[in-house]
Amino acid sequence: MSTLANLMPTAELQARDAAHHIHPFTANNALAQKGARVITNAEGVFLTDSDGERILDAMAGLWCVNIGYGRKELADVAARQMNELPYYNTFFQTTHIPAIDLAERLARLAPGNLNHVMFASGGSEANDTNMRLVRTYWKFLGKPSKQIVISRWNAYHGSTVAASALGGMAGMHAQGVPSLAGIHHIGQPNWWAEGGDMSPEDFGLMRARELETAIKELGAENVAAFIAEPVQGAGGVIVPPSTYWPEIQRICDENEILLIADEVICGFGRTGNWFGTNTYDIRPDVMTVAKGLSSGYQPIGASIVSDEVAEVIGRDEFNHGYTYAGHPVAAAVANENLRIMEDEDVVGHVQRVAAPHLAKRWAELGDHPMVGEVKLVGMMGSIALTPQKETRAKFASDVGTIGFMCRERCFANNLIMRHVGDRMIISPPLVIQPLEIDLLIARAKTALDETYEAATKQGLMVPAA
Ligand code: PXG
């Protein structure tokens, strides 16, 4: 296998990285001391680092490399498109073939009447678009007071100013997010952490009805939309109780509120169907997509909107757009990625092979002494670490202490499994094969055993008071 980058000693690459490169969501000074792991190439579900270690990537990059690494077709399409038309915009009465092809394909794949696509370069940008789009929709309809977008605590909708305000990550709100007027948050359907003595079903209903209460308090005449991920991803793969989505749909329908499904993670097969919207039988007016759209091979995102929303937004000029919206190279690569997904029936592979095998093996982790809740929808899963599963106890140590320890043990065992607080999460490439799933589980068990041993030795297996 050819390697382009690891001609230099790892320590030297790390030193140069530390000297000039600021990493996202990272305490950079601490990382500089330790040195970042240098990833040099990848194939299938495996990454290779600059020391030649092969790492099983159970996060598909950042929830995005759905068809796996090393698909030459995508590189070929990118090169061809670069030679033919490397760039042109679609602002001023022009268009190009990759944007036409991709918009048409997305309209065919997206559920229901979601037939119109506005492009962006990623999920954050697409959610910024959505924020302005739903407000402009109501303005064009003669209801300009409908401006508030309701979201949820512990939601992730991106890192731009609007998207981070829309999201519900406390750590992000604490850092430079202005309190954008017109965003309101309600609780999340996280039964394990917040459900108390309620049954998951009752808790799901209660959390959904917080939307109804919020709409009543704010006035339906002031609310533009509700935005949510079908399954919260970055929040820790929080799978909502079965009662949650039907109730949310009812409330949106009865109150003339647009529903925005943020499918940036759930889209393109992740939940076992083309969209999370299919899995939960949701009828959104707007869908945010990115990540799996191109399997991460190019930066691209989009808002996919209903016939009705598109008609209204088309009544006048919508003063919005990004230079790279529908970039021809990104669009061509996304289109080829989706062609492969369709021709190779990747969603069928998930339904028939990968998800059933992963479900069986992932459930085994529930036998581990420090694993509580075990959740999996299609190919996104989580386990809650706990010092006492019967009581769903949190650890006495700071949130994330044990999760971080476990992630470090995964990393040391050549498995990429993330932690969110004290939950461990996975989202492997959809093309993963059963033997690779077995390896994933074996490494996860080793990492859990090592974490348990260390936590016990350090006296950390203690429930919070
Ligand atoms: N919506 C959702 C649901 C996402 O998961 C975005 C929007 C923003 O997309 P872009 O392409 O602008 O990043 C995301 C992104 C993590 C992590 O730590 C998750 C994301 C991004 C970065 C880190 O799990 N999701």
Side-chain angles (χ1 to χ4, degrees), residues 93-121:
Q93 324 273 304
T94 57
T95 190
H96 51 68
I97 293 163
I100 296 170
D101 284 346
L102 184 58
E104 182 182 68
R105 190 187 289 270
L106 285 172
R108 177 163 58 73
L109 291 173
N113 62 354
L114 298 174
N115 289 319
H116 308 269
V117 183
M118 190 165 198
F119 289 111
S121 300

mmCIF file of all heavy atoms in Angstrom, residues 93-121:
data_model
loop_
_atom_site.group_PDB
_atom_site.id
_atom_site.type_symbol
_atom_site.label_atom_id
_atom_site.label_comp_id
_atom_site.label_asym_id
_atom_site.label_seq_id
_atom_site.Cartn_x
_atom_site.Cartn_y
_atom_site.Cartn_z
ATOM 1 N N GLN A 93 -28.387 33.000 -12.546
ATOM 2 C CA GLN A 93 -29.030 32.470 -13.753
ATOM 3 C C GLN A 93 -28.196 31.409 -14.470
ATOM 4 O O GLN A 93 -28.321 31.234 -15.669
ATOM 5 C CB GLN A 93 -29.350 33.606 -14.747
ATOM 6 C CG GLN A 93 -29.782 34.905 -14.106
ATOM 7 C CD GLN A 93 -31.277 34.970 -13.846
ATOM 8 O OE1 GLN A 93 -32.056 34.805 -14.769
ATOM 9 N NE2 GLN A 93 -31.663 35.172 -12.617
ATOM 10 N N THR A 94 -27.308 30.729 -13.723
ATOM 11 C CA THR A 94 -26.543 29.643 -14.339
ATOM 12 C C THR A 94 -26.683 28.386 -13.486
ATOM 13 O O THR A 94 -27.086 28.445 -12.328
ATOM 14 C CB THR A 94 -25.032 29.974 -14.417
ATOM 15 O OG1 THR A 94 -24.557 30.243 -13.095
ATOM 16 C CG2 THR A 94 -24.767 31.177 -15.316
ATOM 17 N N THR A 95 -26.336 27.271 -14.069
ATOM 18 C CA THR A 95 -26.294 26.029 -13.294
ATOM 19 C C THR A 95 -25.205 25.147 -13.895
ATOM 20 O O THR A 95 -24.512 25.556 -14.835
ATOM 21 C CB THR A 95 -27.671 25.321 -13.281
ATOM 22 O OG1 THR A 95 -27.645 24.262 -12.331
ATOM 23 C CG2 THR A 95 -28.038 24.783 -14.657
ATOM 24 N N HIS A 96 -24.987 23.969 -13.339
ATOM 25 C CA HIS A 96 -24.036 23.031 -13.948
ATOM 26 C C HIS A 96 -24.520 21.601 -13.719
ATOM 27 O O HIS A 96 -25.403 21.354 -12.878
ATOM 28 C CB HIS A 96 -22.600 23.253 -13.468
ATOM 29 C CG HIS A 96 -22.438 23.299 -11.976
ATOM 30 N ND1 HIS A 96 -22.623 22.206 -11.171
ATOM 31 C CD2 HIS A 96 -22.097 24.333 -11.154
ATOM 32 C CE1 HIS A 96 -22.400 22.564 -9.912
ATOM 33 N NE2 HIS A 96 -22.097 23.847 -9.875
ATOM 34 N N ILE A 97 -23.941 20.685 -14.474
ATOM 35 C CA ILE A 97 -24.484 19.323 -14.520
ATOM 36 C C ILE A 97 -24.375 18.582 -13.175
ATOM 37 O O ILE A 97 -25.342 17.936 -12.753
ATOM 38 C CB ILE A 97 -23.843 18.535 -15.692
ATOM 39 C CG1 ILE A 97 -24.316 19.181 -17.015
ATOM 40 C CG2 ILE A 97 -24.237 17.053 -15.675
ATOM 41 C CD1 ILE A 97 -23.485 18.817 -18.229
ATOM 42 N N PRO A 98 -23.236 18.670 -12.439
ATOM 43 C CA PRO A 98 -23.210 17.954 -11.152
ATOM 44 C C PRO A 98 -24.306 18.404 -10.187
ATOM 45 O O PRO A 98 -24.908 17.566 -9.501
ATOM 46 C CB PRO A 98 -21.811 18.295 -10.597
ATOM 47 C CG PRO A 98 -20.979 18.566 -11.804
ATOM 48 C CD PRO A 98 -21.908 19.240 -12.782
ATOM 49 N N ALA A 99 -24.601 19.699 -10.153
ATOM 50 C CA ALA A 99 -25.664 20.179 -9.254
ATOM 51 C C ALA A 99 -27.029 19.669 -9.719
ATOM 52 O O ALA A 99 -27.873 19.276 -8.901
ATOM 53 C CB ALA A 99 -25.661 21.707 -9.177
ATOM 54 N N ILE A 100 -27.249 19.674 -11.023
ATOM 55 C CA ILE A 100 -28.526 19.168 -11.564
ATOM 56 C C ILE A 100 -28.695 17.690 -11.194
ATOM 57 O O ILE A 100 -29.725 17.270 -10.664
ATOM 58 C CB ILE A 100 -28.568 19.316 -13.108
ATOM 59 C CG1 ILE A 100 -28.519 20.787 -13.512
ATOM 60 C CG2 ILE A 100 -29.798 18.611 -13.688
ATOM 61 C CD1 ILE A 100 -28.316 21.011 -15.018
ATOM 62 N N ASP A 101 -27.643 16.912 -11.472
ATOM 63 C CA ASP A 101 -27.713 15.463 -11.216
ATOM 64 C C ASP A 101 -27.958 15.168 -9.739
ATOM 65 O O ASP A 101 -28.768 14.311 -9.386
ATOM 66 C CB ASP A 101 -26.390 14.787 -11.627
ATOM 67 C CG ASP A 101 -26.261 14.647 -13.138
ATOM 68 O OD1 ASP A 101 -27.280 14.818 -13.842
ATOM 69 O OD2 ASP A 101 -25.137 14.356 -13.611
ATOM 70 N N LEU A 102 -27.225 15.878 -8.888
ATOM 71 C CA LEU A 102 -27.313 15.566 -7.459
ATOM 72 C C LEU A 102 -28.656 15.993 -6.878
ATOM 73 O O LEU A 102 -29.264 15.258 -6.090
ATOM 74 C CB LEU A 102 -26.147 16.215 -6.699
ATOM 75 C CG LEU A 102 -26.094 15.883 -5.206
ATOM 76 C CD1 LEU A 102 -25.996 14.371 -4.962
ATOM 77 C CD2 LEU A 102 -24.914 16.595 -4.537
ATOM 78 N N ALA A 103 -29.128 17.173 -7.263
ATOM 79 C CA ALA A 103 -30.430 17.635 -6.748
ATOM 80 C C ALA A 103 -31.526 16.661 -7.167
ATOM 81 O O ALA A 103 -32.399 16.290 -6.362
ATOM 82 C CB ALA A 103 -30.728 19.044 -7.252
ATOM 83 N N GLU A 104 -31.447 16.217 -8.416
ATOM 84 C CA GLU A 104 -32.464 15.284 -8.910
ATOM 85 C C GLU A 104 -32.413 13.961 -8.130
ATOM 86 O O GLU A 104 -33.434 13.406 -7.724
ATOM 87 C CB GLU A 104 -32.229 15.029 -10.398
ATOM 88 C CG GLU A 104 -33.238 14.107 -11.039
ATOM 89 C CD GLU A 104 -32.911 13.873 -12.506
ATOM 90 O OE1 GLU A 104 -31.888 13.223 -12.801
ATOM 91 O OE2 GLU A 104 -33.652 14.364 -13.360
ATOM 92 N N ARG A 105 -31.190 13.453 -7.905
ATOM 93 C CA ARG A 105 -31.059 12.184 -7.183
ATOM 94 C C ARG A 105 -31.560 12.321 -5.747
ATOM 95 O O ARG A 105 -32.253 11.440 -5.224
ATOM 96 C CB ARG A 105 -29.613 11.706 -7.203
ATOM 97 C CG ARG A 105 -29.444 10.278 -6.682
ATOM 98 C CD ARG A 105 -27.990 9.881 -6.546
ATOM 99 N NE ARG A 105 -27.304 9.692 -7.804
ATOM 100 C CZ ARG A 105 -27.230 8.537 -8.462
ATOM 101 N NH1 ARG A 105 -27.813 7.459 -7.973
ATOM 102 N NH2 ARG A 105 -26.554 8.441 -9.583
ATOM 103 N N LEU A 106 -31.231 13.439 -5.105
ATOM 104 C CA LEU A 106 -31.671 13.641 -3.721
ATOM 105 C C LEU A 106 -33.194 13.728 -3.644
ATOM 106 O O LEU A 106 -33.810 13.206 -2.708
ATOM 107 C CB LEU A 106 -31.022 14.893 -3.126
ATOM 108 C CG LEU A 106 -29.542 14.730 -2.757
ATOM 109 C CD1 LEU A 106 -28.937 16.075 -2.349
ATOM 110 C CD2 LEU A 106 -29.355 13.717 -1.635
ATOM 111 N N ALA A 107 -33.793 14.386 -4.620
ATOM 112 C CA ALA A 107 -35.260 14.488 -4.633
ATOM 113 C C ALA A 107 -35.879 13.094 -4.756
ATOM 114 O O ALA A 107 -36.899 12.793 -4.127
ATOM 115 C CB ALA A 107 -35.713 15.378 -5.778
ATOM 116 N N ARG A 108 -35.239 12.231 -5.524
ATOM 117 C CA ARG A 108 -35.754 10.864 -5.683
ATOM 118 C C ARG A 108 -35.574 10.055 -4.391
ATOM 119 O O ARG A 108 -36.466 9.305 -3.985
ATOM 120 C CB ARG A 108 -35.028 10.184 -6.853
ATOM 121 C CG ARG A 108 -35.432 8.724 -7.070
ATOM 122 C CD ARG A 108 -35.022 8.203 -8.439
ATOM 123 N NE ARG A 108 -33.596 8.295 -8.718
ATOM 124 C CZ ARG A 108 -32.672 7.524 -8.163
ATOM 125 N NH1 ARG A 108 -33.009 6.615 -7.260
ATOM 126 N NH2 ARG A 108 -31.390 7.666 -8.480
ATOM 127 N N LEU A 109 -34.422 10.215 -3.732
ATOM 128 C CA LEU A 109 -34.135 9.416 -2.534
ATOM 129 C C LEU A 109 -34.874 9.915 -1.297
ATOM 130 O O LEU A 109 -35.262 9.126 -0.434
ATOM 131 C CB LEU A 109 -32.623 9.425 -2.245
ATOM 132 C CG LEU A 109 -31.737 8.678 -3.237
ATOM 133 C CD1 LEU A 109 -30.264 8.920 -2.908
ATOM 134 C CD2 LEU A 109 -32.046 7.183 -3.232
ATOM 135 N N ALA A 110 -35.028 11.226 -1.191
ATOM 136 C CA ALA A 110 -35.634 11.794 0.022
ATOM 137 C C ALA A 110 -37.104 11.409 0.088
ATOM 138 O O ALA A 110 -37.759 11.258 -0.936
ATOM 139 C CB ALA A 110 -35.479 13.310 0.021
ATOM 140 N N PRO A 111 -37.623 11.232 1.303
ATOM 141 C CA PRO A 111 -39.007 10.766 1.434
ATOM 142 C C PRO A 111 -40.030 11.830 1.031
ATOM 143 O O PRO A 111 -39.735 13.024 0.997
ATOM 144 C CB PRO A 111 -39.123 10.444 2.921
ATOM 145 C CG PRO A 111 -38.046 11.217 3.585
ATOM 146 C CD PRO A 111 -36.944 11.386 2.587
ATOM 147 N N GLY A 112 -41.224 11.355 0.773
ATOM 148 C CA GLY A 112 -42.397 12.210 0.584
ATOM 149 C C GLY A 112 -42.197 13.277 -0.468
ATOM 150 O O GLY A 112 -41.673 13.017 -1.558
ATOM 151 N N ASN A 113 -42.608 14.479 -0.114
ATOM 152 C CA ASN A 113 -42.579 15.583 -1.073
ATOM 153 C C ASN A 113 -41.346 16.475 -0.901
ATOM 154 O O ASN A 113 -41.371 17.648 -1.253
ATOM 155 C CB ASN A 113 -43.862 16.412 -0.948
ATOM 156 C CG ASN A 113 -43.978 17.023 0.449
ATOM 157 O OD1 ASN A 113 -43.167 16.743 1.324
ATOM 158 N ND2 ASN A 113 -44.978 17.858 0.646
ATOM 159 N N LEU A 114 -40.289 15.909 -0.333
ATOM 160 C CA LEU A 114 -39.036 16.667 -0.198
ATOM 161 C C LEU A 114 -38.306 16.582 -1.541
ATOM 162 O O LEU A 114 -37.572 15.636 -1.797
ATOM 163 C CB LEU A 114 -38.172 16.101 0.928
ATOM 164 C CG LEU A 114 -38.792 16.161 2.330
ATOM 165 C CD1 LEU A 114 -37.916 15.432 3.338
ATOM 166 C CD2 LEU A 114 -39.003 17.601 2.775
ATOM 167 N N ASN A 115 -38.519 17.555 -2.380
ATOM 168 C CA ASN A 115 -38.073 17.466 -3.773
ATOM 169 C C ASN A 115 -37.177 18.601 -4.229
ATOM 170 O O ASN A 115 -36.891 18.700 -5.428
ATOM 171 C CB ASN A 115 -39.305 17.421 -4.691
ATOM 172 C CG ASN A 115 -40.029 16.092 -4.579
ATOM 173 O OD1 ASN A 115 -39.390 15.038 -4.520
ATOM 174 N ND2 ASN A 115 -41.351 16.124 -4.527
ATOM 175 N N HIS A 116 -36.734 19.473 -3.311
ATOM 176 C CA HIS A 116 -35.993 20.662 -3.735
ATOM 177 C C HIS A 116 -34.788 20.864 -2.833
ATOM 178 O O HIS A 116 -34.896 20.764 -1.616
ATOM 179 C CB HIS A 116 -36.911 21.880 -3.709
ATOM 180 C CG HIS A 116 -38.176 21.628 -4.468
ATOM 181 N ND1 HIS A 116 -38.320 21.911 -5.799
ATOM 182 C CD2 HIS A 116 -39.342 21.046 -4.076
ATOM 183 C CE1 HIS A 116 -39.532 21.532 -6.201
ATOM 184 N NE2 HIS A 116 -40.162 21.005 -5.178
ATOM 185 N N VAL A 117 -33.661 21.167 -3.455
ATOM 186 C CA VAL A 117 -32.388 21.116 -2.732
ATOM 187 C C VAL A 117 -31.660 22.449 -2.815
ATOM 188 O O VAL A 117 -31.489 23.008 -3.910
ATOM 189 C CB VAL A 117 -31.478 20.023 -3.345
ATOM 190 C CG1 VAL A 117 -30.184 19.912 -2.544
ATOM 191 C CG2 VAL A 117 -32.198 18.677 -3.389
ATOM 192 N N MET A 118 -31.244 22.976 -1.643
ATOM 193 C CA MET A 118 -30.361 24.142 -1.614
ATOM 194 C C MET A 118 -29.046 23.672 -1.003
ATOM 195 O O MET A 118 -29.022 23.154 0.111
ATOM 196 C CB MET A 118 -30.981 25.272 -0.796
ATOM 197 C CG MET A 118 -30.235 26.586 -0.935
ATOM 198 S SD MET A 118 -31.180 27.998 -0.334
ATOM 199 C CE MET A 118 -30.273 29.328 -1.155
ATOM 200 N N PHE A 119 -27.947 23.857 -1.731
ATOM 201 C CA PHE A 119 -26.673 23.278 -1.307
ATOM 202 C C PHE A 119 -25.888 24.161 -0.355
ATOM 203 O O PHE A 119 -26.046 25.385 -0.330
ATOM 204 C CB PHE A 119 -25.817 22.957 -2.535
ATOM 205 C CG PHE A 119 -26.328 21.798 -3.342
ATOM 206 C CD1 PHE A 119 -26.853 21.996 -4.610
ATOM 207 C CD2 PHE A 119 -26.299 20.503 -2.827
ATOM 208 C CE1 PHE A 119 -27.324 20.929 -5.364
ATOM 209 C CE2 PHE A 119 -26.772 19.430 -3.578
ATOM 210 C CZ PHE A 119 -27.283 19.643 -4.844
ATOM 211 N N ALA A 120 -25.005 23.523 0.404
ATOM 212 C CA ALA A 120 -24.081 24.182 1.322
ATOM 213 C C ALA A 120 -22.804 23.343 1.326
ATOM 214 O O ALA A 120 -22.719 22.339 0.614
ATOM 215 C CB ALA A 120 -24.693 24.249 2.715
ATOM 216 N N SER A 121 -21.820 23.742 2.128
ATOM 217 C CA SER A 121 -20.563 22.985 2.156
ATOM 218 C C SER A 121 -20.469 22.023 3.329
ATOM 219 O O SER A 121 -19.464 21.355 3.511
ATOM 220 C CB SER A 121 -19.364 23.936 2.187
ATOM 221 O OG SER A 121 -19.383 24.754 1.048
#
